[in-house]
Amino acid sequence: MFDKVLIANRGEIALRVHRACREMGIKTVAVHSTADANAMHVRLADESVCIGPPPARDSYLNVAAILSAAAITGADAIHPGLGFLAENADFAATVEEHGFSFIGPSPEHIRLMGNKVAAKEAARRLGIPTVPGSPGAVRDLAAAEASARAIGYPVLIKASAGGGGRGMKVARNAPELARLLPVAQNEATSFFGCGEVYLERHLDRPRHIEIQLLGDGLGGIIHLGERDCSLQRSHQKLLEETPCPVLNCAERERLTALAAAALAELGYRSAGTLEFLYQDGEFFFIEMNTRLQVEHPISEMVSGIDIVREQLRIAAGAPFGYRQSDVNLCGHAIECRINAENPDTFLPSPGRVTDYHPPGGLGVRVDSALYDGYEVPPYYDSLISKLIVHGKSRNECLMRLRRALEEYVIGGIDTTIPLHQRLAVATEFIDGDYDIHWLEDFVSRPP
Amino acid sequence: MFDKVLIANRGEIALRVHRACREMGIKTVAVHSTADANAMHVRLADESVCIGPPPARDSYLNVAAILSAAAITGADAIHPGLGFLAENADFAATVEEHGFSFIGPSPEHIRLMGNKVAAKEAARRLGIPTVPGSPGAVRDLAAAEASARAIGYPVLIKASAGGGGRGMKVARNAPELARLLPVAQNEATSFFGCGEVYLERHLDRPRHIEIQLLGDGLGGIIHLGERDCSLQRSHQKLLEETPCPVLNCAERERLTALAAAALAELGYRSAGTLEFLYQDGEFFFIEMNTRLQVEHPISEMVSGIDIVREQLRIAAGAPFGYRQSDVNLCGHAIECRINAENPDTFLPSPGRVTDYHPPGGLGVRVDSALYDGYEVPPYYDSLISKLIVHGKSRNECLMRLRRALEEYVIGGIDTTIPLHQRLAVATEFIDGDYDIHWLEDFVSRPP
Amino acid sequence: MKIGGRGPPFPDADLIRTLAALLAETGLSEIEYAVGDRRIRVARVPGGPNPGTVAESPAPARAAAVEHPGALKAPMVGTAYLAPQPGHPPFVRLGDSVAEGQPLLIIEAMKVMNHIRAPRPGRVTQILVADAQPVEYGAVLMLIE
Amino acid sequence: MKIGGRGPPFPDADLIRTLAALLAETGLSEIEYAVGDRRIRVARVPGGPNPGTVAESPAPARAAAVEHPGALKAPMVGTAYLAPQPGHPPFVRLGDSVAEGQPLLIIEAMKVMNHIRAPRPGRVTQILVADAQPVEYGAVLMLIE
C-alpha cells in the first residue's frame, strides 16, 4: 500500500480522499492555491504545499507544480479527485512517467472515453445500446423514411453542421417526417450554410440513470447498482438517489450486467460510471466518466463499500476482497448537493460562513469542507456540501432528508438548502415522477 | 401512530428522540428547565414548555410539571429518554393513568427489574444464570467447603452485613478457604458487629456484555446482538463496541437466545437490555435496564434498526415488521462518550462552547446537542456528545475512529476527546484485551 | 414558550387583547406571532388610538417584564384562568389596587386549581396572560407595582 | 507550508540559521517549529548576543516579509538551491549588494533548474530559505532592499 498520497484537488472531494487515506494509514499531502491556504483539507493533511495563485489553470490545473509538490514531499501516488485533472489522460500518463502511481484508470481508457464519438463506438462494440440514429446524413425522403423505420418514431431531425438545438425538428410519424424534412433542411442551410441532416431517436422525457462500477484492471468488475441523476438544472445535477424509484428488477439486472460485462471486456481499472438515458423501458448509453463522481456517496451508503478506499487499493495492485454476490444493496440513499448559490436566482454566493451546524444522528452523512468562519472563495465551483441520507426504504429516507435539511445551518451566504427543502416535499419528487426536464420546470415555479 | 410526543428529557437523548419522531411525522414537545431554554432540543421541537428551575428534582424529575405540560400542549404520548424518570415505575403508571401513552415498558416490568434482588430471582426463574453463591450464610467450614464445591473456586467470602468491599476475601481453593474463613468472620464481626458470611463465585477479570432487545409486548422479541461495555471508569461506561471482540459465535448465539427467550416469557414491551458479566466462557446476569441506553446507537449501526423508532411503533401498538431472521448484524461499531470533563482529572468542565466542528464522512455518526456558542450548564450530567463510527471490520472501525477523533473540534471547555484519542491507539484496546478493571488502570498511567 | 397545542378556538380574542396591550406598552407598530400553523399579526398605525400607557422605553416587553421588580411569575406549568368560574368577572382588572394575599388568578395543573395570590400590595399595571391560556414555569403573568 | 517529506539530515544547520535570523529580526525570544515528527526550538535569552538588526516591530516575521516591498517570492513549487553546484559558494550572502538580473538562487522543478534573478538592484537583507529545502508557491525567499 502507498505511504503517502498527494491529493490534487480541493474542497469536499479533497477532504473525502484525505479521509479514505487516513483510514488506511496513508499520509496525505494537500496542494492548494493561495486562495485555499485555510481550507479544511489543508488543515487536516499531514503536509501541504501552496502550488499557485487562485486561478485554477495556475494551481489545480498546473501539472508541473503538482508534480513538483509530489517530488518535494516524497509522495508515491496522486489522487486527482474529480474535475480539474481527473479526466486528463495526458496528466495520468505524465504522473506515471514521473514514477508516481495515478489513482484512477489507465490513460488509454481515459482517452478513449474522453472522446464522445469514440466512446459511443466502443459502447456499441461492447454491446451497449446507444441512441439509435441514421448511419450518416439522409439525402432524401425515401432514405429518411427507411432510416426512421429502422430507428423507430419519434425521430429527431438534426443538422449535421448544427449545435445548440437549433434547426432540430421532431417527427412523430411518417407524414410528419415528410412535412418536416424539407423545413429542417432549409433551416439547416440558412443557419449553418449546409442543408445536410441526419436522424436520431427522439427521447422527450428521459431519465438520467448511471451505473457505478469498480474494476481491478485484470478483468474483475464489481457494480454497485444504479443512481438516478435526473434532477438537473442547466446540466448540473442537484439531487441524486439510489435505487432509481422507477426501475424494475429485470431492467436493473439487465443494465448492470451489460455494464459490468463491457468494462470486464475493456479490462477497466478503478472507479467508473456508465451514464444512460432511460425511457419507456429502454436504455441508451450517453457517456462514461472515468473517475470518481460527486454522487458516489449514495452508492457507498447502500452497498457499504468505500469507493475511494477501493480506488486506493486497486491502484496499489490489491485484488477485490469480495465478489459481486457479496455486494448487498440495502435501503435507499439520497444526496443533496448544497451549493453556495441563491436558491431562486442561482447566482453564486461566495463569502464568509458565519454559522455552521451540520445535521447529525442516524442515517445522516455530511461530506463538506465548510467550517464556521470559512471564506468560500469566488474562484471555484459552488458545491460546498453534500448531505447524504440513508434509510431502509425510500419513504424513510425522504422523512430523514426533511429532518436533516431542517437541522442544517449555514449562515452568512446563500445556499441551495431552501430549494432542497421545497424539493423534498414536492409531490412529483415524492412519487418519483420526474425526468431530466422536470427540475427546470420546478425551479421556475413561484416558491 | 401518535400525533404529538412530549420528550421528558434533555441533551443529546432528547434530540435523539426528537429526530425519530420527526422522521415519523410526529410533532414534538420539548420540556426544559430555565437552564436549558436555549438547548438544541428546545430549538428544534415543534413546541416547548419551561417546566421549572435548573435543579432536576424541580424540572426533569417534576412529574406534575411534565404531565401539566403534556396536558396544555395536547401531547398523546411521553417518551422518558434515559435517566431521570425513565426507570421510574410510578411515573410510567401515572402517565398512563392520565391518559397518555408511556413510550417504554409496562410499569410492572420496570418495577420488577428495578429491584435487584427480585430481578435476579426473576432471571433465575427464567433460566438465566446469575453469579453463583451460597443459598444463605455459611455457618462453619464444612458448610463453606460444601458450598464452595457447588459454586466453584475461586470464591469470594462476603460479610452478610457488609458493603463497600470491606471484609471480603478471595479463596482460590479449599486450603485457602479453611485459612480465610475465620479471618473473614473475625473481620465481619469487628467491621459490622456480626460475623455472618456467605460465599459467591469470584470473577477477577470479567467483561461487561449486554444484549439489546426489543419486545412487542405480545411475546414477540427481537435481539440486536451484544455490546461490550467493559471500558468503564467509576462505573461509568466510556466507550462501547459491538460485536464484543472476544465472544465466539456459539457463545453469542447461546446468550442472545437465552435473553430473547426470557423476555418472550415475560411478554416484555419496548427496548430493554440484559446486562451480564462474562469470564472464561460463562455469563452471569447482573441486571436489566428497562429503557433506552446511551450506547444504543452502536446496535443501530450494525443492525440498521432505529431503536427509538421501534419504541414509538411498539408503544403505538404496531407489530414488528420483520423477524429475527431478517436482522443482519453487519460490521463493527464503536461509540465514544464525549464528556465535558478534564481528560486527566475527570473534573467537570461546564461553560461556553467557543468552537464546534463535528467530524463527517462515511461511517461517522454524531449524536450531540452541542452547537457553537452553547453554554454547557453545570446542573446535569457531563455527556455532551456521542461519536459513533461504523466499519466493515473492527480494524476499519478503529481506523475510522482515529480519523474522526482527529477531526472533532470542541473548543472552550475540556472534553474527554484526548482520552479517547489515547485509548484508540492503546495496544490492549486494539487487541480487545480488556476487562472491566482495565480502563481504571489505563487512565491512571501517565499520558 | 412555543405552544401549538389544543387551546381556545382561533382567533382568540384574549390573545389579541394581550398583543394589543403589548403593542401599546412597547410603542411597536406591529407584532407578528406564530405558533405551529397558527399565525396572528396585530398592528396599529402611528398616531392611531392608543388606549394604553405611552411606553417610556421601546425595549422588548417580555424581557423587560421578566426583570421587573413587580413581575408576578408562574410558579408552575399549567393553564391560567383570570376568573374564578367561566363567565364570572375576573379576579382583577388592569389598574386595580390589590392587597397582599388577594387572589389574582388560578393556574390549573394536574386537575388542581392553584390560586395565585398577590405577594405584596400594589396596583396591577400589566396583565400579560390571557384567560384559559397555557403558561410555562417562570412566565410573567402580571406586573404589580 | 507544512512539509514532512524527504529533506537534508536533521538537525539542519541552515534551518537553525534561518530561525536564528528570524528571532533577531522579530525580537522574539523563542521559536518552536515542528514538521511531521521533526521538531526544532530556538531561543535567545533577552540581553544575550544579537547579531542581527534590532527589530522595529515584533510582528510575525513571515507575514511581515510577505508584505515587504523587497520580498522575493518563489514563482513556483520546487527545491531551492543557494549555490550553483553542491559544495560551491552561494550565489549571494547576507548583506551582499546585487545588480538587477543577478542570479540569487535556483529552484528545481520537474528536473529543470530555474535561475531566480534579482528583479532590481539592492542589498540582500534577509535570506529566508535554506539550501536544498523545498519551497512552495509564493514563499518569501529573500528580502532585497
Side-chain angles (χ1 to χ4, degrees):
Chain A
M1 190 39 67
F2 306 117
D3 280 334
K4 192 187 282 187
V5 166
L6 183 141
I7 303 164
N9 217 298
R10 64 176 302 281
E12 69 81 23
I13 203 67
L15 180 59
R16 173 71 189 88
V17 175
H18 164 81
R19 285 173 169 161
C21 289
R22 210 76 179 136
E23 293 178 4
M24 298 173 81
I26 300 170
K27 289 195 275 298
T28 56
V29 179
V31 295
H32 63 90
S33 74
T34 51
D36 280 337
N38 295 318
M40 183 71 94
H41 73 287
V42 176
R43 291 162 62 142
L44 289 174
D46 292 285
E47 302 174 38
S48 68
V49 180
C50 178
I51 52 167
R57 67 176 175 280
D58 299 324
S59 48
Y60 298 107
L61 293 170
N62 183 342
V63 174
I66 290 166
L67 291 174
S68 294
I72 65 174
T73 55
D76 37 27
I78 295 179
H79 195 301
L82 51 83
F84 295 132
L85 296 164
E87 285 179 296
N88 182 321
D90 293 341
F91 176 66
T94 307
V95 165
E96 295 191 340
E97 281 157 21
H98 280 73
F100 304 105
S101 295
F102 179 75
I103 300 166
S106 71
E108 295 68 36
H109 287 153
I110 298 175
R111 192 166 285 121
L112 172 68
M113 295 300 170
N115 179 315
K116 305 270 159 151
V117 176
K120 282 196 183 172
E121 272 167 21
R124 278 190 289 265
R125 207 170 54 240
L126 293 162
I128 298 177
T130 56
V131 179
S134 55
V138 288
R139 310 251 161 232
D140 53 32
L141 184 59
E145 281 180 338
S147 192
R149 265 194 308 277
I151 293 166
Y153 286 98
V155 295
L156 197 61
I157 315 170
K158 293 169 93 171
S160 297
R166 289 207 298 176
M168 300 203 319
K169 299 283 164 203
V170 177
R172 308 202 164 267
N173 46 46
E176 276 192 20
L177 181 62
R179 182 167 60 78
L180 291 170
L181 184 68
V183 179
Q185 285 168 327
N186 286 342
E187 286 190 6
T189 306
S190 62
F191 286 143
F192 309 111
C194 163
E196 198 176 273
V197 297
Y198 66 101
L199 303 186
E200 209 176 77
R201 170 84 64 82
H202 175 60
L203 301 170
D204 56 349
R205 44 188 175 76
R207 299 178 84 104
H208 174 120
I209 292 178
E210 58 188 31
I211 308 293
Q212 174 68 57
L213 298 133
L214 286 164
D216 62 6
L218 307 161
I221 296 287
I222 298 283
H223 76 79
L224 305 182
E226 85 282 7
R227 296 186 287 253
D228 191 320
C229 308
S230 305
L231 293 175
Q232 305 183 0
R233 198 199 133 263
S234 305
H235 301 286
Q236 296 296 309
K237 297 167 186 169
L238 193 78
L239 180 151
E240 302 96 353
E241 62 179 314
T242 183
C244 165
V246 302
L247 226 53
N248 65 38
C249 287
E251 289 171 325
R252 177 171 298 119
E253 274 176 32
R254 178 157 56 89
L255 189 62
T256 53
L258 201 63
L263 290 208
E265 175 77 24
L266 273 184
Y268 188 76
R269 182 185 81 196
S270 199
T273 306
L274 291 181
E275 297 193 333
F276 297 86
L277 293 178
Y278 168 77
Q279 186 175 315
D280 304 324
E282 283 187 281
F283 296 99
F284 307 101
F285 172 83
I286 44 176
E287 63 173 316
M288 176 170 183
N289 291 316
T290 54
R291 56 165 167 85
L292 192 64
Q293 285 193 279
V294 174
E295 59 271 29
H296 76 277
I298 57 173
S299 301
E300 295 181 327
M301 298 308 274
V302 296
S303 68
I305 289 173
D306 180 334
I307 295 173
V308 182
R309 170 189 280 257
E310 292 304 303
Q311 285 190 302
L312 288 157
R313 282 172 42 81
I314 291 163
F320 283 131
Y322 49 90
R323 286 180 228 162
Q324 186 67 53
S325 57
D326 298 321
V327 178
N328 290 307
L329 303 178
C330 295
H332 198 94
I334 296 179
E335 172 183 279
C336 292
R337 297 192 189 195
I338 297 171
N339 296 332
E341 286 171 4
N342 182 290
D344 300 316
T345 62
F346 299 99
L347 287 176
S349 178
R352 191 180 189 77
V353 175
T354 54
D355 287 288
Y356 185 68
H357 193 85
L362 181 59
V364 174
R365 165 177 172 186
V366 176
D367 277 24
S368 172
L370 280 196
Y371 57 87
D372 205 340
Y374 176 69
E375 192 89 33
V376 178
Y379 308 105
Y380 312 108
D381 86 47
S382 63
L383 180 71
I384 50 171
S385 177
K386 303 189 309 202
L387 170 62
I388 304 118
V389 291
H390 181 243
K392 288 168 95 77
S393 64
R394 188 168 187 267
N395 184 51
E396 188 177 304
C397 189
L398 281 173
M399 294 295 282
R400 186 159 288 153
L401 176 63
R402 289 176 204 134
R403 181 283 275 180
L405 284 167
E406 197 170 85
E407 289 182 19
Y408 209 154
V409 177
I410 302 178
I413 56 172
D414 286 340
T415 76
T416 47
I417 290 175
L419 173 58
H420 284 293
Q421 286 171 327
R422 278 176 58 209
L423 201 47
V425 295
T427 308
E428 296 98 320
F429 174 58
I430 293 169
D431 293 344
D433 180 20
Y434 57 81
D435 59 35
I436 63 168
H437 306 299
W438 179 80
L439 186 68
E440 294 280 5
D441 173 59
F442 178 75
V443 298
S444 66
R445 296 181 204 168
Chain B
M1 188 43 63
F2 306 118
D3 280 334
K4 191 187 283 188
V5 166
L6 182 141
I7 302 164
N9 216 299
R10 63 177 300 282
E12 68 81 23
I13 204 67
L15 179 59
R16 173 71 190 88
V17 176
H18 165 81
R19 285 173 168 161
C21 290
R22 210 74 178 138
E23 293 176 4
M24 297 172 80
I26 299 169
K27 289 195 275 297
T28 57
V29 179
V31 295
H32 62 91
S33 74
T34 51
D36 280 336
N38 296 316
M40 182 71 94
H41 73 287
V42 175
R43 292 162 62 143
L44 290 174
D46 292 285
E47 302 174 39
S48 68
V49 180
C50 180
I51 53 166
R57 67 178 175 279
D58 300 323
S59 48
Y60 299 107
L61 293 170
N62 183 342
V63 174
I66 290 167
L67 292 175
S68 294
I72 65 174
T73 55
D76 37 26
I78 296 180
H79 194 301
L82 52 83
F84 295 132
L85 297 165
E87 285 178 297
N88 183 320
D90 293 340
F91 176 65
T94 307
V95 164
E96 296 190 341
E97 280 157 21
H98 280 75
F100 305 105
S101 294
F102 178 75
I103 300 166
S106 70
E108 294 69 34
H109 287 152
I110 299 174
R111 194 166 284 121
L112 171 68
M113 294 299 168
N115 179 315
K116 305 270 159 154
V117 175
K120 282 195 183 174
E121 273 167 22
R124 277 190 290 267
R125 206 171 55 240
L126 294 163
I128 297 177
T130 56
V131 180
S134 54
V138 288
R139 308 253 161 231
D140 53 32
L141 185 58
E145 282 179 338
S147 191
R149 267 195 306 276
I151 293 166
Y153 287 97
V155 294
L156 198 61
I157 314 170
K158 294 169 92 171
S160 297
R166 289 206 299 175
M168 298 204 320
K169 299 284 164 199
V170 177
R172 307 203 165 264
N173 47 46
E176 275 192 21
L177 181 62
R179 183 168 59 79
L180 291 170
L181 183 69
V183 179
Q185 286 167 326
N186 285 341
E187 285 190 5
T189 307
S190 63
F191 286 143
F192 309 110
C194 162
E196 198 176 274
V197 297
Y198 67 100
L199 303 186
E200 208 177 79
R201 169 81 65 81
H202 174 59
L203 301 170
D204 54 350
R205 44 188 174 76
R207 299 179 83 106
H208 174 122
I209 292 177
E210 60 188 30
I211 307 293
Q212 174 68 58
L213 298 132
L214 286 165
D216 63 6
L218 309 161
I221 296 288
I222 298 283
H223 76 79
L224 305 182
E226 85 282 7
R227 296 186 286 253
D228 191 320
C229 308
S230 305
L231 293 175
Q232 305 184 0
R233 200 200 131 264
S234 305
H235 302 286
Q236 296 295 310
K237 297 167 187 168
L238 193 77
L239 181 151
E240 303 94 353
E241 61 179 314
T242 184
C244 166
V246 302
L247 225 55
N248 65 39
C249 287
E251 289 170 326
R252 176 171 298 119
E253 275 175 31
R254 179 158 54 88
L255 189 62
T256 52
L258 201 63
L263 291 208
E265 174 78 23
L266 273 184
Y268 188 77
R269 180 184 83 195
S270 199
T273 306
L274 291 181
E275 298 195 332
F276 297 87
L277 292 178
Y278 168 78
Q279 186 176 316
D280 304 323
E282 284 187 282
F283 296 100
F284 308 101
F285 172 83
I286 44 177
E287 62 174 315
M288 177 170 183
N289 290 317
T290 53
R291 56 166 167 86
L292 192 64
Q293 284 194 280
V294 173
E295 60 270 28
H296 77 277
I298 56 174
S299 300
E300 295 181 327
M301 298 309 274
V302 297
S303 69
I305 290 172
D306 181 334
I307 295 173
V308 182
R309 169 188 279 255
E310 292 303 302
Q311 285 190 302
L312 287 156
R313 283 172 42 82
I314 291 164
F320 282 130
Y322 49 90
R323 286 181 226 161
Q324 186 66 53
S325 57
D326 298 321
V327 178
N328 290 309
L329 303 177
C330 295
H332 198 94
I334 295 178
E335 172 183 279
C336 291
R337 298 194 189 192
I338 297 171
N339 296 331
E341 285 172 3
N342 182 290
D344 301 316
T345 62
F346 299 99
L347 287 175
S349 178
R352 192 181 187 77
V353 175
T354 54
D355 287 289
Y356 185 68
H357 192 86
L362 181 59
V364 174
R365 165 177 173 187
V366 176
D367 277 25
S368 173
L370 282 195
Y371 58 85
D372 206 339
Y374 176 69
E375 192 89 35
V376 178
Y379 309 104
Y380 313 107
D381 87 44
S382 63
L383 181 71
I384 50 172
S385 177
K386 303 190 307 201
L387 169 63
I388 304 117
V389 291
H390 181 243
K392 288 169 95 77
S393 64
R394 188 168 187 266
N395 184 53
E396 187 176 305
C397 190
L398 281 174
M399 293 296 281
R400 186 159 287 153
L401 176 62
R402 288 176 205 132
R403 181 283 275 182
L405 284 167
E406 197 170 87
E407 290 182 18
Y408 209 154
V409 177
I410 302 178
I413 56 171
D414 287 338
T415 76
T416 47
I417 290 176
L419 173 59
H420 284 293
Q421 286 171 328
R422 279 175 58 209
L423 200 49
V425 294
T427 308
E428 296 97 319
F429 174 57
I430 293 169
D431 294 342
D433 180 19
Y434 57 80
D435 59 35
I436 63 168
H437 305 300
W438 180 81
L439 185 68
E440 294 279 4
D441 173 59
F442 177 75
V443 299
S444 65
R445 294 181 203 167
Chain C
M1 177 169 58
K2 44 174 182 179
I3 295 186
R6 297 162 198 160
F10 205 79
D12 174 350
D14 283 309
L15 178 57
I16 291 172
R17 275 181 214 112
T18 303
L19 291 173
L22 277 167
L23 258 195
E25 182 201 40
T26 59
L28 292 170
S29 61
E30 186 172 329
I31 297 177
E32 190 164 341
Y33 179 85
V35 175
D37 52 357
R38 296 162 53 168
R39 182 175 295 273
I40 189 164
R41 193 176 75 89
V42 298
R44 185 178 286 125
V45 291
N50 182 347
T53 53
V54 174
E56 289 298 318
S57 121
R62 282 282 169 153
V66 168
E67 303 300 323
H68 196 286
L72 177 75
K73 297 183 192 178
M76 66 194 67
V77 182
T79 304
Y81 295 101
L82 295 179
Q85 297 283 335
H88 284 222
F91 288 106
V92 290
R93 297 184 199 266
L94 204 63
D96 281 3
S97 287
V98 295
E100 184 179 329
Q102 179 178 336
L104 302 177
L105 77 165
I106 283 169
I107 296 180
E108 180 189 356
M110 305 280 290
K111 318 280 179 212
V112 176
M113 297 295 175
N114 302 280
H115 279 76
I116 310 299
R117 295 167 188 280
R120 71 188 75 81
R123 203 169 64 86
V124 178
T125 60
Q126 292 290 333
I127 297 178
L128 294 158
V129 65
D131 191 52
Q133 284 294 302
V135 293
E136 63 186 339
Y137 173 83
V140 180
L141 306 168
M142 296 183 180
L143 296 190
I144 312 291
E145 293 183 89
Chain D
M1 177 167 60
K2 45 174 181 178
I3 295 186
R6 297 159 197 163
F10 203 75
D12 176 348
D14 283 310
L15 179 56
I16 292 172
R17 276 182 213 112
T18 303
L19 292 173
L22 278 167
L23 260 195
E25 184 201 34
T26 58
L28 293 171
S29 61
E30 187 174 327
I31 299 177
E32 192 166 339
Y33 179 83
V35 176
D37 52 359
R38 296 161 55 168
R39 181 175 296 274
I40 190 163
R41 192 177 74 88
V42 298
R44 187 178 284 125
V45 291
N50 183 345
T53 52
V54 174
E56 289 299 318
S57 120
R62 284 283 171 155
V66 168
E67 303 300 325
H68 196 287
L72 177 75
K73 296 183 191 178
M76 65 194 68
V77 182
T79 304
Y81 295 101
L82 296 178
Q85 297 284 334
H88 283 221
F91 288 105
V92 291
R93 294 180 200 270
L94 204 65
D96 282 3
S97 287
V98 295
E100 184 179 330
Q102 180 178 334
L104 302 177
L105 76 165
I106 283 169
I107 296 180
E108 181 190 354
M110 305 281 290
K111 318 284 180 208
V112 176
M113 298 295 174
N114 302 281
H115 280 75
I116 310 300
R117 295 166 189 282
R120 72 188 74 82
R123 202 169 65 84
V124 178
T125 59
Q126 290 291 333
I127 298 179
L128 295 159
V129 65
D131 191 52
Q133 284 294 303
V135 294
E136 63 186 340
Y137 173 84
V140 180
L141 306 168
M142 296 181 181
L143 296 189
I144 312 291
E145 292 182 89

